[in-house]
Amino acid sequence: MSDRAAAAVEAAIAGEAKLDAHKLRRDFPIFQQRFHGKPLAYLDSAVSAQKPRQVLDALREFYETSYTNVHRGVYLLAERATERFEGSREQVRAFINAASTREIVFTRSATEALNLVAYAWGLDNLGPGDLVVATELEHHSNFVPWQQIAKRSGATFRPIPVDGSGELQLDALDAIAKQGRVKVVANNLVSNALGTINPVEQLAAWAHQQGAIMVVDAAQAAPHRRIDVQQLGCDFLAFSSHKLCGPTGVGVLWGRAELLERMSPFNFGGEMIRKVTVEETSWNELPYKFEAGTPPIGEAVAMGAAIDYLTAIGIEAIGEHEHTLTAYTLERLADVPGVHVFGPPAGRRAGIVSFDVKGVHPHDVAQILDFEGVAIRAGHHCCQPLMTRLGVAATNRASFYLYTIPEEIGRLVEGLHKVNTTFGVGRVRGESGVRG
Ligand SMILES: Cc1ncc(COP(=O)(O)O)c(C=O)c1O
């Protein structure tokens, strides 16, 4: 670890960093509980973030004072509910610097947002001779919809390969482009499995040179990095509320208005129509054309409170804090016998560290850590093509957020020493450290 990184960890431990994680933790009621008699070291924020009291209070306050259905009633309460719901849309717009709230579609999740684009754009625009390009690094939710829509439409599906440390092999792009007309490029901004930060702006430029659209999965990026959809140069971007301290059940699709205008609806039903006759139906204006039925009203309002919460802390400070923790974790894990870390060096990754312990199944590792009160993820992380590429069935994954403190990484390391004691893994020189 560089002197600067070491100083950052020390500052974090002393509570002198830009972001005071010790203080912020007090906002999260979950940390008042003990698990297996120990304080909770929640190192699984990539799966879902914990919720601060400010968000929980906003949800309750909305239901207690302002709740009914939206866009329907003319009475005062209905107007208030609609105003709060649409206010949240404006907060999302500002959060990702979209040009207009017409481009912000509320969905159930990032998964639904990505399916919306794959179905509504893909089925009308793809056919034989077209190429749909995703990456080997995608979460299944930005992989399977494109694979399946390619199959249905007769297009060809081609993932961009990754190298042994999980970084995209962009030198494969020319060969891919020779295989057909590239129509879609789909990539996550941050990999949920390895934490790799992907060169999305570069890919978007390439996609546009090919005449393709660029679809960005920002589920692991939006909670931790400033998103500017106009600067990224993409055409669609998706994320979920629950990974940024908001409630489950609501996600966001941002799309360029001119593309959304030309797309068919994804779901049919109430609210998304302008006029319905026995013979024909015409569609509502943006974004309502894509919001059939009752939307996740309270959830969207509380997502707005989560955005306020993150913005007040400072999204850059959050990213910096996680970066410090990641560098610290890589340093500490290098000293644990039998531990191999997957993925790029700290400089090119977000707050996610995937690893395995030689000869011990990831589920056993996670279970022993659980008895120590340390919660990590074990599995394929919804990235089976990536696991195949790395030659493993599963990994362990520790992931961080604004409430993660260095002491929890210390507890992770202590727990891994216990795993080694339990399974008799001895120190073998040269077997720890980052592996490609
Ligand atoms: C990179 C990435 N994309 C998409 C998703 C899907 O998000 P959701 O389950 O909220 O739809 C996840 C969830 O883990 C993710 O990590």
Side-chain angles (χ1 to χ4, degrees):
M1 195 165 27
S2 68
D3 289 351
R4 217 171 126 236
V9 171
E10 267 174 33
I13 292 171
E16 290 161 1
K18 265 191 213 157
L19 173 159
D20 184 349
H22 286 90
K23 185 160 157 254
L24 291 173
R25 279 169 88 78
R26 289 183 222 130
D27 292 337
F28 292 78
I30 196 86
F31 294 121
Q32 288 166 7
Q33 280 183 69
R34 293 174 89 81
F35 291 79
H36 300 296
K38 314 241 165 59
L40 174 64
Y42 185 70
L43 300 180
D44 200 14
S45 290
V47 85
S48 200
Q50 294 299 338
K51 316 303 172 202
R53 202 169 274 111
Q54 289 83 340
V55 170
L56 303 173
D57 288 350
L59 190 63
R60 167 177 282 275
E61 182 274 335
F62 175 75
Y63 277 114
E64 285 181 352
T65 65
S66 308
Y67 177 72
T68 177
N69 215 324
V70 291
H71 304 140
R72 287 160 172 80
V74 292
Y75 49 90
L76 181 60
L77 179 59
E79 280 172 9
R80 189 185 296 164
T82 302
E83 212 169 278
R84 298 278 302 268
F85 178 68
E86 290 302 327
S88 168
R89 199 188 303 276
E90 166 53 27
Q91 283 174 291
V92 172
R93 186 209 62 72
F95 187 57
I96 60 172
N97 194 30
S100 159
T101 48
R102 297 174 65 239
E103 298 183 326
I104 306 295
V105 178
F106 286 128
T107 61
R108 276 191 303 126
S109 59
T111 301
E112 191 183 63
L114 293 163
N115 273 275
L116 190 164
V117 184
Y119 276 90
W121 188 90
L123 286 178
D124 281 350
N125 290 284
L126 294 171
D130 292 338
L131 284 183
V132 176
V133 178
T135 84
E136 280 184 340
L137 203 52
E138 292 318 296
H139 187 281
H140 293 159
S141 59
N142 201 26
F143 191 98
V144 182
W146 292 113
Q147 177 197 55
Q148 294 302 309
I149 293 299
K151 269 191 213 292
R152 281 205 200 180
S153 62
T156 304
F157 179 68
R158 282 279 174 276
I160 302 170
V162 293
D163 64 18
S165 55
E167 296 196 79
L168 295 179
Q169 293 188 294
L170 296 183
D171 50 5
L173 291 179
D174 287 345
I176 290 175
K178 289 196 179 107
Q179 295 169 30
R181 286 183 303 273
V182 182
K183 291 293 258 325
V184 180
V185 180
N187 183 210
N188 54 47
L189 188 43
V190 171
S191 150
N192 63 303
L194 300 180
T196 322
I197 300 167
N198 290 310
V200 158
E201 289 180 43
Q202 204 182 330
L203 265 183
W206 180 77
H208 292 150
Q209 275 163 20
Q210 311 298 314
I213 58 160
M214 180 76 206
V215 181
V216 174
D217 170 2
Q220 295 293 347
H224 313 280
R225 306 167 65 78
R226 182 160 302 290
I227 302 281
D228 182 330
V229 288
Q230 302 189 59
Q231 192 185 322
L232 279 176
C234 55
D235 299 292
F236 295 98
L237 182 135
F239 61 93
S240 284
S241 146
H242 70 93
K243 291 189 200 282
L244 48 78
C245 296
T248 54
V250 62
V252 171
L253 174 69
W254 167 81
R256 278 188 199 288
E258 61 271 26
L259 290 170
L260 292 171
E261 297 274 17
R262 278 187 262 135
M263 280 159 57
S264 307
F266 175 48
N267 288 316
F268 300 114
E271 274 301 292
M272 51 75 65
I273 56 89
R274 185 183 306 278
K275 186 163 177 23
V276 182
T277 65
V278 172
E279 293 76 27
E280 216 144 24
T281 300
S282 58
W283 315 132
N284 202 345
E285 62 192 28
L286 292 179
Y288 311 111
K289 177 171 90 172
F290 294 105
E291 293 182 357
T294 297
I297 304 165
E299 290 80 358
V301 169
M303 171 168 59
I307 288 174
D308 277 346
Y309 182 76
L310 299 183
T311 307
I313 295 166
I315 204 93
E316 280 85 5
I318 294 171
E320 245 175 68
H321 172 70
E322 291 162 357
H323 180 75
T324 303
L325 293 173
T326 301
Y328 180 54
T329 307
L330 294 179
E331 168 100 358
R332 296 288 311 268
L333 290 184
D335 283 336
V336 184
V339 167
H340 296 282
V341 175
F342 298 92
R348 290 199 296 284
R349 73 157 88 207
I352 291 175
V353 178
S354 260
F355 60 92
D356 65 10
V357 181
K358 192 167 192 242
V360 188
H361 194 283
H363 284 152
D364 292 332
V365 173
Q367 193 125 45
I368 290 176
L369 289 171
D370 177 46
F371 290 133
E372 302 303 316
V374 178
I376 62 160
R377 173 92 183 267
H380 55 63
H381 316 297
C382 300
C383 291
Q384 285 182 344
L386 175 68
M387 296 295 121
T388 304
R389 170 68 184 86
L390 297 176
V392 294
T395 72
N396 290 113
R397 180 186 72 183
S399 53
F400 318 130
Y401 208 7
L402 54 99
Y403 40 68
T404 309
I405 50 177
E407 292 89 321
E408 291 174 311
I409 289 156
R411 288 176 60 199
L412 167 71
V413 169
E414 272 167 39
L416 289 173
H417 282 295
K418 280 207 176 135
V419 170
N420 279 344
T421 310
T422 310
F423 285 87
V425 178
R427 176 138 186 89
V428 183
R429 263 187 186 284
E431 283 202 338
S432 60
V434 176
R435 183 171 80 175

